[in-house]
C-alpha cells in the first residue's frame, strides 16, 4: 500500500473516531443543529435543549376544532333589522373549545379554592360570587332558583349563570393556573402544595418568571447548561398549556356551525342556519330514537317553555344539564339554546366591515409587565404579576372623524357640550346617561332557555355591559392550538 493511501486511511479513521466520540460525549440526544452542527441536549457543549415533534395535548374539558375559512354572519333574514352581522368570508386558526358550558359544580370548585387560599380576603371571594339575584323577577316566583340554583346538587351539572364577562375572564385565568400546576405535579416536577397562600400562590406567569419557587417533585428537570442542579420548566419545553380564555366571536360561531360534517373535498355542501342541518327545530330521520323531540332548550311560543305535562318536549322549564341534548358534528354540546354565552369581542354594529380577514376580533388591549426601578417584576398581594396597558385598540378605526356627525376631540364622551363633540353612540346632552355602546360592552351569542328560535342561529349577536349578569348568560372557555393544524395529541 502506498504512503498516500495509508495517510488517507488513517485520516478517515481519525475523523470517524472523533465523530463517534463526539456523539457519545455528554450523552446528548444525537440530533444536531442544521446550522452549526452542534449536538442538541448535550451538557458538554453548553446544553442547548431542543425537542422535535411537538404535539399539543388537549387541556381538560376541551375539544379540538380545526380552523379554516367560513362565511361568518347572518345569512338568513334579519327580522330584527339590526344589520349588525352582515356576511363576510374569514379564516380562524385551529383552537380548542370546552365540550360544554362551565357548570355550577365547576364554579363552586373555583369559589372553594378562593375561600381556602385567601381565607382573610373576603373581597376576593365576593368578586367571584355569581349574582343569584338575577333570578328575582317582580311578577314571577323564582325564589327557589335564587336560593338553590348555584349550590344545590340538583343543579350541579347545569350551566352557571349570573356571572359577568369580567368574572368569566377571571375564571379562565384561574383555570389556566390550576391546570398547569397539576401538569407539573403529574410530571413529578413540582410537589403538591395545597397550603399555598398570599404571594406564594402558583400562577403560570409567576412560575415562568421565577417568582414562584415551590418544592421540587420526584422527577425535576435537569439543568443541562450547568454541571449539577435542576431548573424550572421553560416555555420552550412545551410542557405547560397555553392559557384558557373566552373564545372570540368568530371562533364561537365557527365552532357552533360545525361545518366539517357538510364538506365534500374543498366544497361546502350545505350552509346551516342552526348547529345542525336543515331548518327544523326537531330531530328528524337522522336520529330515529329522538325523532320529533326538540333539538335545544328554548321557548317555543308565548308561555311555552317546556311542553305539555306528561309529554315534555325540551323537558326543562329553565336551563338544563349541559349535555341534555346531542352535540354538533364537532362534539360540542349546547351551542344553541340553554344559555347564551359570552365571547371575547367588544360589540360594534359594524365589526363585520372593520375586522381582519384572519382571526377577526375587536377588543385587543396590549399590556406589559410592570417593573420597579431595578427592573424587577411587580406582583399584587396574591402573587399575580401586575400589567400596564401600552396600547388599546378597542376603538381602532372606529368613531374616527369620517364617522362623526359633528367633529370633536373625545368620541366616547357623553358630554356633548364639550367642545361641540358628538360621540358615535351618545348619551344625553347633559352627560348624565352613558351610551348603550361603549368600550365595556361585550358580545354574547347562542340563544337561551327564555329566547325564541330566532336567536339560536350562530349568526345572531347581542350585547350587554361586561359587568352585567343575567339568568340566561353563561360561558365556555377556549384555548389556542399551537403549530400544525394536523399535529394534535388527543
Amino acid at each position: 500500500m502506498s504512503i498516500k493511501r495509508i495517510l488517507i486511511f488513517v485520516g478517515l479513521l481519525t475523523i470517524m473516531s472523533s465523530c463517534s466520540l463526539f456523539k457519545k460525549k455528554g450523552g446528548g440526544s444525537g440530533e444536531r443543529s442544521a446550522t452549526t452542527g452542534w449536538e442538541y441536549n448535550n451538557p458538554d457543549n453548553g446544553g442547548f435543549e431542543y425537542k422535535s415533534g411537538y404535539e399539543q395535548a388537549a387541556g381538560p374539558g376541551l375539544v379540538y376544532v380545526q380552523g379554516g375559512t367560513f362565511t361568518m354572519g347572518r345569512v338568513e333574514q334579519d327580522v330584527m333589522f339590526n344589520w349588525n352581522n352582515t356576511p363576510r368570508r374569514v379564516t380562524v386558526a385551529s383552537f380548542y373549545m370546552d365540550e360544554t358550558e362551565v357548570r355550577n359544580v365547576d364554579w363552586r370548585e373555583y369559589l372553594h379554592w378562593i375561600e381556602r387560599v385567601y381565607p382573610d380576603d373576603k373581597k376576593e371571594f365576593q368578586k367571584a360570587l355569581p349574582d343569584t339575584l338575577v333570578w328575582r323577577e317582580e311578577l314571577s316566583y323564582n325564589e327557589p332558583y335564587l336560593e338553590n340554583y348555584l349550590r344545590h346538587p340538583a343543579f350541579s351539572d347545569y350551566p352557571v349563570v349570573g356571572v359577568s364577562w369580567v368574572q368569566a375572564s377571571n375564571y379562565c385565568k384561574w383555570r389556566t393556573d390550576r391546570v398547569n400546576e397539576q401538569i407539573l405535579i403529574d410530571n413529578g416536577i413540582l410537589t403538591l402544595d395545597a397550603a399555598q397562600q398570599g404571594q406564594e400562590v402558583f400562577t403560570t406567569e409567576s412560575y415562568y418568571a421565577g417568582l414562584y419557587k415551590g418544592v421540587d417533585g420526584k422527577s425535576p428537570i435537569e439543568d443541562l447548561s450547568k454541571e449539577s442542579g435542576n431548573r424550572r420548566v421553560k416555555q420552550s419545553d412545551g410542557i405547560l398549556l397555553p392559557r384558557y380564555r373566552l373564545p372570540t366571536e368568530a371562533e364561537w360561531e365557527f365552532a357552533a356551525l360545525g361545518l366539517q360534517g357538510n364538506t365534500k373535498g374543498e366544497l361546502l355542501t350545505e350552509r346551516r342556519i342552526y348547529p345542525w342541518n336543515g331548518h327544523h327545530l326537531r330531530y328528524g330521520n337522522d336520529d330515529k330514537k329522538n325523532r320529533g323531540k326538540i333539538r335545544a332548550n328554548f321557548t317555543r311560543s308565548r308561555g311555552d317553555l317546556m311542553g305539555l305535562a306528561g309529554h315534555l318536549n325540551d323537558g326543562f322549564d329553565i336551563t338544563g344539564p349541559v349535555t341534555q341534548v346531542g352535540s354538533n358534528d364537532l362534539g360540542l354540546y349546547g351551542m344553541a339554546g340553554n344559555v347564551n354565552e359570552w365571547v371575547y369581542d367588544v360589540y360594534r354594529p359594524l365589526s363585520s366591515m372593520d375586522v381582519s380577514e384572519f382571526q377577526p376580533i375587536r377588543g385587543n388591549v396590549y399590556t406589559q409587565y410592570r417593573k420597579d426601578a431595578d427592573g424587577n417584576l411587580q406582583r399584587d398581594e396574591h402573587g399575580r404579576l401586575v400589567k400596564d396597558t401600552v396600547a388599546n385598540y378597542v376603538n381602532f378605526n372606529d368613531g374616527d372623524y369620517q364617522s362623526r356627525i359633528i367633529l370633536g376631540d373625545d368620541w366616547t364622551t357623553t358630554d356633548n357640550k364639550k367642545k361641540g363633540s358628538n360621540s358615535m353612540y351618545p348619551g344625553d346632552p347633559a352627560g348624565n346617561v352613558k351610551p348603550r355602546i361603549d368600550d365595556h360592552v361585550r358580545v354574547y351569542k347562542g340563544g337561551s332557555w327564555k329566547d325564541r328560535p330566532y336567536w339560536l342561529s350562530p349568526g345572531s349577536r347581542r350585547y350587554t355591559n361586561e359587568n352585567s349578569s343575567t339568568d340566561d348568560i353563561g360561558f365556555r372557555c377556549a384555548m389556542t392550538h399551537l403549530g400544525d393544524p394536523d399535529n394534535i395529541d388527543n
Side-chain angles (χ1 to χ4, degrees):
M1 182 181 293
S2 66
I3 298 296
K4 184 177 180 181
R5 288 183 177 181
I6 292 174
L7 291 174
I8 292 174
F9 181 72
V10 171
L12 288 172
L13 285 176
T14 303
I15 292 172
M16 291 173 64
S17 176
S18 63
C19 288
S20 177
L21 287 172
F22 183 74
K23 284 184 179 180
K24 292 179 180 178
K25 188 177 182 180
S29 64
E31 280 191 276
R32 293 178 176 276
S33 167
T35 53
T36 65
W38 285 43
E39 188 178 20
Y40 296 132
N41 311 310
N42 190 331
D44 290 344
N45 62 16
F48 176 75
E49 297 183 55
Y50 167 68
K51 298 178 180 65
S52 60
Y54 171 78
E55 293 182 353
Q56 183 174 336
L62 298 177
V63 172
Y64 178 67
V65 181
Q66 189 177 61
T69 181
F70 80 113
T71 301
M72 182 179 178
R74 180 176 287 285
V75 295
E76 65 276 11
Q77 184 180 4
D78 188 355
V79 299
M80 304 298 291
F81 299 103
N82 288 324
W83 309 115
N84 65 356
N85 206 16
T86 54
R88 72 279 194 193
R89 195 78 173 178
V90 300
T91 294
V92 295
S94 298
F95 61 100
Y96 296 87
M97 181 175 276
D98 270 339
E99 183 180 25
T100 70
E101 297 105 347
V102 173
R103 304 167 299 168
N104 283 318
V105 65
D106 303 321
W107 201 270
R108 293 204 306 267
E109 180 185 8
Y110 174 42
L111 294 175
H112 174 77
W113 185 91
I114 293 175
E115 202 168 25
R116 178 175 60 81
V117 175
Y118 307 127
D120 299 323
D121 192 339
K122 301 304 180 184
K123 288 184 178 180
E124 190 74 11
F125 182 79
Q126 290 294 328
K127 188 171 69 173
L129 197 64
D131 182 9
T132 57
L133 293 177
V134 296
W135 288 107
R136 184 164 285 171
E137 192 173 336
E138 292 83 350
L139 299 176
S140 180
Y141 180 58
N142 287 345
E143 293 302 296
Y145 305 121
L146 185 154
E147 297 167 359
N148 297 295
Y149 185 80
L150 174 63
R151 300 188 183 280
H152 197 281
F155 299 107
S156 287
D157 291 324
Y158 285 51
V160 66
V161 297
V163 295
S164 68
W165 182 95
V166 172
Q167 288 176 311
S169 298
N170 289 337
Y171 173 88
C172 293
K173 295 175 184 176
W174 170 84
R175 185 175 173 186
T176 300
D177 296 332
R178 302 290 70 74
V179 168
N180 280 333
E181 182 182 16
Q182 189 62 50
I183 288 174
L184 294 176
I185 294 169
D186 290 343
N187 283 275
I189 298 169
L190 283 182
T191 298
L192 174 63
D193 179 13
Q196 54 184 281
Q197 291 185 355
Q199 286 199 331
E200 294 307 313
V201 174
F202 175 94
T203 71
T204 304
E205 291 178 324
S206 64
Y207 177 81
Y208 273 143
L211 299 176
Y212 175 81
K213 305 302 180 183
V215 179
D216 283 347
K218 295 181 179 179
S219 304
I221 297 179
E222 181 185 0
D223 191 345
L224 298 183
S225 65
K226 299 179 180 179
E227 291 186 4
S228 62
N230 302 319
R231 65 168 176 83
R232 64 185 53 247
V233 168
K234 299 181 291 188
Q235 193 172 6
S236 58
D237 294 320
I239 293 176
L240 300 184
L241 293 177
R243 62 188 177 91
Y244 284 81
R245 55 176 174 79
L246 291 176
T248 68
E249 183 178 5
E251 288 175 335
W252 194 98
E253 193 168 324
F254 180 78
L257 288 170
L259 293 172
Q260 283 87 327
N262 284 2
T263 57
K264 187 175 182 180
E266 293 189 47
L267 298 177
L268 179 64
T269 59
E270 184 177 354
R271 165 75 190 195
R272 290 174 172 171
I273 297 176
Y274 305 110
W276 52 82
N277 286 335
H279 60 278
H280 299 290
L281 296 169
R282 299 176 182 269
Y283 287 102
N285 291 328
D286 57 325
D287 190 341
K288 294 183 179 179
K289 179 181 178 181
N290 294 308
R291 185 165 53 190
K293 292 183 178 180
I294 297 288
R295 284 183 175 266
N297 180 9
F298 62 95
T299 297
R300 288 191 291 175
S301 60
R302 182 183 295 275
D304 183 2
L305 276 69
M306 59 193 298
L308 293 172
H311 297 280
L312 298 182
N313 212 306
D314 71 45
F316 295 96
D317 44 6
I318 53 167
T319 60
V322 293
T323 57
Q324 61 165 318
V325 294
S327 61
N328 69 0
D329 286 346
L330 294 174
L332 301 172
Y333 291 87
M335 300 303 288
N338 213 21
V339 291
N340 291 288
E341 298 181 20
W342 289 113
V343 296
Y344 182 84
D345 294 54
V346 169
Y347 177 81
R348 291 291 187 271
L350 301 181
S351 286
S352 59
M353 301 176 62
D354 299 328
V355 294
S356 173
E357 295 177 356
F358 176 64
Q359 294 286 74
I361 191 176
R362 178 173 288 282
N364 278 326
V365 177
Y366 301 140
T367 61
Q368 66 181 14
Y369 295 119
R370 183 184 300 174
K371 298 180 180 179
D372 61 19
D374 297 323
N376 300 314
L377 295 174
Q378 299 296 289
R379 292 189 288 175
D380 64 16
E381 68 275 17
H382 298 311
R384 296 175 295 228
L385 295 179
V386 180
K387 297 179 181 179
D388 294 318
T389 298
V390 295
N392 186 331
Y393 289 112
V394 170
N395 292 326
F396 184 72
N397 279 351
D398 187 30
D400 57 14
Y401 74 94
Q402 293 176 324
S403 64
R404 294 183 185 181
I405 300 173
I406 301 174
L407 296 182
D409 296 329
D410 183 4
W411 86 273
T412 62
T413 185
T414 57
D415 184 359
N416 296 327
K417 295 180 180 179
K418 180 181 177 182
K419 296 184 179 180
S421 66
N422 188 1
S423 71
M424 197 173 190
Y425 312 108
D428 71 323
N432 297 320
V433 179
K434 292 184 179 180
R436 292 184 62 199
I437 301 174
D438 61 18
D439 293 349
H440 302 285
V441 168
R442 301 284 176 168
V443 178
Y444 65 91
K445 298 172 74 72
S448 76
W449 61 276
K450 60 195 307 185
D451 286 319
R452 301 297 195 271
Y454 176 82
W455 297 109
L456 271 58
S457 168
S460 65
R461 63 199 302 251
R462 287 177 285 183
Y463 61 92
T464 190
N465 187 276
E466 64 185 23
N467 287 299
S468 66
S469 55
T470 71
D471 61 359
D472 65 338
I473 301 181
F475 75 102
R476 70 181 75 210
C477 302
M479 178 185 289
T480 300
H481 172 77
L482 305 177
D484 185 347
D486 290 321
N487 191 16
I488 61 172
D489 179 17
N490 276 327

